[in-house]
Amino acid sequence: MKLFILLVVVVGIVAIAQLARVYELTARLRKTKEEDISYADNRLNAKLWLLFMVLFYAGFIALIVKYGDYLPVSASAHGEGVDKLMDFNMYIIIAVFFVVNTLLFVFASKYYYRKDRKAKFFPHDNRLELFWTIVPSIVLAVIIIFGLRTWNEMTGEAAPDALRVEVYAKQFDWTVRYPGDNNEFGLANYNLISTTNPLGIVTKEGIVESLEAIETELATLKADVENERGVLLREKAEIEEELHPSHGHGDGHEMSAERKAHLEARLHEVESALNSGNTTVLSEEAYEAKKDKISRLERHIQRIMEIEDFSYESNLRAWEAGTDDRIVKGEFHLPVRKEVEFIFRSRDVIHSAYMPHFRAQMNCVPGVPTRFKMIPTITTDSMRLVMNNPEFDYILLCNKVCGAAHFNMAIKIVIDTPEQYEAWLKEQAEYVAKEETAPAVEPEAAESVEVVVADSQTAIVE
Amino acid sequence: MAGHNHHHEESFISKYVFSQDHKMISKQFLLTAIVMGVVAVMLSIFFRLQLGWPGESFSILETFLGKWAPDGVLDRNAYLALVTIHGTIMVFFVLTGGLSGTFSNLLIPLQIGARDMASGFLNMLSYWFFLVSSVIMIFSLFVEGGAASGGWTVYPPLSALPQAMPGSGTGMTLWLISMVLFVASSLLGGLNYIVTIINLRTKGMKMTRLPLTIWAFLVTAILGVLSFPVLVSAVVLLLMDRSMGTAFYLSDIHIGGEALDVTGGSPILYQHLFWFLGHPEVYIVLLPALGISSEIISTNSRKPIFGYRAMIGSILAIGFLSFIVWGHHMFVTGMNPFIGSVFVFTTLLIAIPSAVKAFNYITTLWKGNIKFTPAMLFSVGLVSTFVTGGLTGIILADSALDVNVHDTYFVVAHFHIVMGMSAIFGMLAGVYHWYPKMYGRLMSTKLGYAHFWITLVCGYGVFFPMHFVGLAGAPRRYYDYSSFEFLDFVADFNPIISVFAIVGGIGQLFFLFNFFYSIFRGQKSDANPWKSNTLEWTTPVERIHGNWPNELPVVHRWAYDYSNPAYDEDFVPQIVPLKAGEEEH
Ligand code: HEM
Ligand SMILES: [Cu+2]
Ligand SMILES: [Cu+2]
């Protein structure tokens, strides 16, 4: 292939150089003017328009035949309406495509220049213009009405008893959360995100754990900064200068005893720190970076302290609602013919949850949860039969550029019968599972489904 | 400025470098745009190599890209950087700065009968801002971390957080700075165009006698002046989020193992601001091309443009509507479905004036006497791509359908055909047609033919199959399509598309050769080689400051009196007085 490309490049360049030479010579010989397009040239281009048209249409039709129906039937209820709408619009635009392009190419090829003819002087015709203003308007009105009807159907409120599932995006994978037996999601807060709490679910334990982790980090940082050798030495020098001014001005300002005691105490501290052997040596930038990080962590603590423990929407205390949530990665299951309302969130940048087989897509926007509802209609097993492909799987893939591995950010969707679904869901651990009651994850399931639980032994380390 | 007309000696610098003459500035824009275009095409060929033959090693990549293509395999981050800079250069530098800068500058004074732009100085500044921003954009390809990589729309938070990807570091900062300078250039240019068109028309040049090129440039300039400032706001807020600790676009973010210190903004706000420019921008790209092709199609069909007033009306309608449709880029951001419906409605309305334009073009060809100059071929090609690409816009405007194809290759096919191909065709048509006004010589017709047919076939060959790729669910901005079984079919398409892209890219050598060769060796042009009616063809072939050696021409009729039965010749220039009893059309 590479050779082929190289060949094309070389041949192309040589050909152009040759052509240019030939052109220069012939132009000299012919003594014709560039702007006088000869009869032969006009006719040639006229014929080329027709040839192009035929090839273009042939290519288009071949593509329609081979790839016209590439996605299988819609696996969601609203998707059937979408597909109908798509077909309807496609018929219209394909028809218009052929009609208008044909008119264009045929006119271009038919009316090429001949000396003895004069073009028809036809500057305007109000009836004609009205006609092609009104006809498109009517067609578009139909398209708009049909389109908005489908749109309203798919974007209406989800049924109150719909299954709610949270799809959570981050660079570069997906996490899915089910609300658990109480049918309510626990609150989540990005300030609590950690390796053991990937969604930042608000629980008492989570908060304590986060605060402890931050305090530990803060303590180390503070120790580093306070024991920075350069800083300590500078402070020591300053204190000594103040206590024993090198050029005694003696201008009468005696230091107060209080101040003096304070300085001496501090000097003692600084000296003992310097002698302790625990000092660090930091570059200017590293020192600043650490101080910066300290203030960030302090604000982080502040934000954690401000987390509300109450969800007005559901009237539940957060730390009760979240404990039974179930969190899965790698694949997630949904029951067939049950309405599901997705809630999409993102941790870092915008992603987009794209489920082409379900004709569904919604962006995942940090800070702004989004929703999309649908009713899956075909189980994975049935779809495998339809497709005649035992390997087939539904998929949710990222469709908003989000970084280097954007092209590889997907999660498998499995549509189950209700019984299969219930069985699968039971196997998924609750978020705060007591160690003794943690359900044993079956080895088979554990291979494909990574279950994240708060228990640090089984947690997935990112 | 207007009215004075003395020939003083000019130094090389004031004539070719810091020129204030609109014709020279136009050529400066054109040459810069050609260089930028060559870069953008090369970038697209680089990433098409990766798409066509994923993971294969191409030594040419290593030669050009060095560490971004270790062992000749394009790096994943570099792929995104190339796509981003390709798109940015094409949209802004080639088809906004380049297209408007070249032809508004060249044609506005010449076609309205003015000696120069209202302000030659602002005009010169506009070019220099453009050049500096071009240089910065190219330079950003070489900085540590690489160029901006978040797509040409640079959505935050991806673009706001250097932690999110290497391209969001220095490269992104340079991208933003370059865009601010670019907008400054556009505003200086645009204001100048508007003022010139309104104030400096020669005697008799009523608004209803303006060639459609000028109408298109006028509306384009107005769109730019009204929408680019909003882009600056978006960009400046983004710069502040990046470097001053604000959070206009940032909220609830945890990245790089740490909760972000600032919160409370909305990433969606950026999208509203960006697309408030972004949609008018596609018409800023397209309208000049439509104006140019109107002029060329009429001249070379030897027929009046059909429905002159309807053409003006549709340009105005498109211009107005383009400000109230931006939400169609945001149907899947979680926007309120009702607001989505409103945007569906306004967007589909645009199809009406667009349809009127298409039919008017076709009727202009009907019973014409068509001379296939290369400019004419490109203009007819433009009508085809405008129709073909415009039709798929109906799918994308329909929110219920857009959910399914948003951000897939279907969109890539759509905008490349309707905006990329159409506008490039318009620009090339303009170059072939007005080359004699720029260089006093003609380009080779035969080479022009080869250039056109290769470009048309390869353009459709590249972009038309992408519709099918997208309809089958292939997302855009993917480095590789082999990760998922259901996308395996993309491998059927990608090598073929890439071959078309490479051949089409090489085909542009016909143009480059023709262009530069003809500057020196092309056939000397007559004053009015295409037998055209408009005023620019009444100026002397030797270009002079002030355009007309003596009095300014006086206009007596519209620009489209071709094959008027009252005259023997098949054209009647605008300066020819009406015959006794003749009615103006
Ligand atoms: C040389 C011919 C061209 C080729 C082969 C080409 C090919 C491509 C391809 C394959 C993409 C990547 C699509 C994706 O992954 O999202 C792309 C992106 C793009 N191209 Fe082109 N293109 C060409 C010319 C143009 C022209 C004339 C324009 C002018 C409008 C243009 C504007 C864009 C834009 C705006 C993007 C989107 C960049 C992004 O995703 O941020 N291209 N092009
Ligand atoms: Cu993603
Ligand atoms: Cu738009």
Side-chain angles (χ1 to χ4, degrees), chain B residues 109-129:
Chain B
L110 285 174
Q111 289 195 334
I112 67 173
R115 301 223 178 261
D116 205 321
M117 282 289 174
S119 165
F121 179 70
L122 289 189
N123 210 15
M124 178 186 80
L125 273 189
S126 158
Y127 173 71
W128 285 96
F129 272 112

Side-chain angles (χ1 to χ4, degrees), chain B residues 226-536:
Chain B
L226 294 182
S227 65
F228 269 118
V230 181
L231 178 69
V232 178
S233 324
V235 162
V236 169
L237 297 188
L238 184 50
L239 272 169
M240 289 167 77
D241 274 7
R242 289 172 56 78
S243 53
M244 295 167 69
T246 59
F248 293 106
Y249 305 135
L250 305 173
S251 191
D252 293 13
I253 291 172
H254 176 103
I255 194 166
E258 195 180 334
L260 203 67
D261 199 27
V262 291
T263 188
S266 163
I268 303 298
L269 168 65
Y270 174 87
Q271 298 188 19
H272 281 295
L273 294 175
F274 181 87
W275 287 112
F276 188 84
L277 156 91
H279 194 86
E281 168 64 19
V282 311
Y283 289 101
I284 291 173
V285 160
L286 195 57
L287 285 179
L290 293 176
I292 287 171
S293 62
S294 306
E295 186 63 27
I296 293 174
I297 286 181
S298 173
T299 304
N300 288 294
S301 306
R302 315 308 295 160
K303 268 189 72 182
I305 191 82
F306 182 77
Y308 173 72
R309 277 165 198 262
M311 290 299 243
I312 296 174
S314 52
I315 291 176
L316 292 172
I318 288 174
F320 170 73
L321 288 173
S322 73
F323 277 105
I324 50 171
V325 300
W326 77 91
H328 62 215
H329 298 274
M330 300 169 62
F331 287 138
V332 296
T333 55
M335 118 187 319
N336 178 321
F338 174 72
I339 302 199
S341 310
V342 175
F343 283 118
V344 171
F345 179 72
T346 53
T347 304
L348 285 171
L349 280 187
I350 290 199
I352 298 170
S354 307
V356 169
K357 283 193 93 65
F359 285 118
N360 284 3
Y361 281 128
I362 291 174
T363 314
T364 307
L365 295 179
W366 178 68
K367 295 205 171 176
N369 206 11
I370 303 171
K371 287 189 187 167
F372 286 115
T373 62
M376 182 64 177
L377 290 172
F378 275 106
S379 299
V380 175
L382 177 153
V383 178
S384 172
T385 55
F386 179 56
V387 169
T388 308
L391 284 169
T392 50
I394 292 178
I395 306 276
L396 295 167
D398 215 330
S399 49
L401 300 177
D402 182 58
V403 164
N404 210 28
V405 286
H406 176 78
D407 262 339
T408 66
Y409 260 86
F410 191 81
V411 177
V412 179
H414 161 72
F415 75 72
H416 274 98
I417 294 178
V418 75
M419 163 167 88
M421 283 178 76
S422 300
I424 289 274
F425 278 20
M427 187 163 174
L428 291 169
V431 172
Y432 281 103
H433 193 77
W434 281 289
Y435 194 85
K437 275 292 118 193
M438 295 188 183
Y439 294 102
R441 293 173 186 266
L442 289 157
M443 288 171 78
S444 155
T445 306
K446 289 275 166 35
L447 290 180
Y449 288 164
H451 176 216
F452 169 71
W453 288 107
I454 290 177
T455 307
L456 181 73
V457 170
C458 290
Y460 268 133
V462 169
F463 299 118
F464 202 80
M466 287 184 186
H467 291 121
F468 293 85
V469 179
L471 284 172
R476 67 192 281 205
R477 294 168 176 165
Y478 267 28
Y479 167 73
D480 187 344
Y481 289 83
S482 55
S483 315
F484 312 116
E485 198 211 341
F486 94 103
L487 292 178
D488 283 349
F489 77 97
V490 177
D492 296 359
F493 284 86
N494 267 342
I496 301 174
I497 292 180
S498 292
V499 168
F500 272 119
I502 292 164
V503 174
I506 292 171
Q508 302 313 304
L509 291 178
F510 280 101
F511 172 74
L512 291 179
F513 173 83
N514 199 353
F515 185 90
F516 290 107
Y517 182 86
S518 305
I519 293 181
F520 306 102
R521 307 286 294 273
Q523 175 208 311
K524 286 241 163 62
S525 165
D526 297 338
N528 187 1
W530 318 120
K531 301 194 167 43
S532 177
N533 290 342
T534 36
L535 293 183
E536 74 271 28

Side-chain angles (χ1 to χ4, degrees), chain A residues 24 34 67 117-118 299 398, chain B residues 261 368 478 492 517 567:
Chain A
E24 206 194 334
E34 293 290 352
Y67 295 98
R117 263 191 38 218
K118 204 164 177 184
R299 283 195 293 268
C398 183
Chain B
D261 199 27
Y478 267 28
D492 296 359
Y517 182 86
Y567 292 81

Side-chain angles (χ1 to χ4, degrees), chain B residues 24-72:
Chain B
M24 183 55 68
I25 293 174
S26 143
K27 284 193 271 186
Q28 292 173 328
F29 268 108
L30 180 57
L31 287 176
T32 313
I34 288 178
V35 172
M36 294 302 273
V38 169
V39 173
V41 169
M42 278 174 62
L43 297 183
S44 75
I45 290 179
F46 292 160
F47 64 71
R48 280 282 2 153
L49 287 177
Q50 159 63 22
L51 287 175
W53 302 277
E56 262 191 60
S57 158
F58 293 93
S59 48
I60 180 178
L61 289 180
E62 199 168 5
T63 315
F64 276 97
L65 300 172
K67 66 173 170 168
W68 298 121
D71 302 323

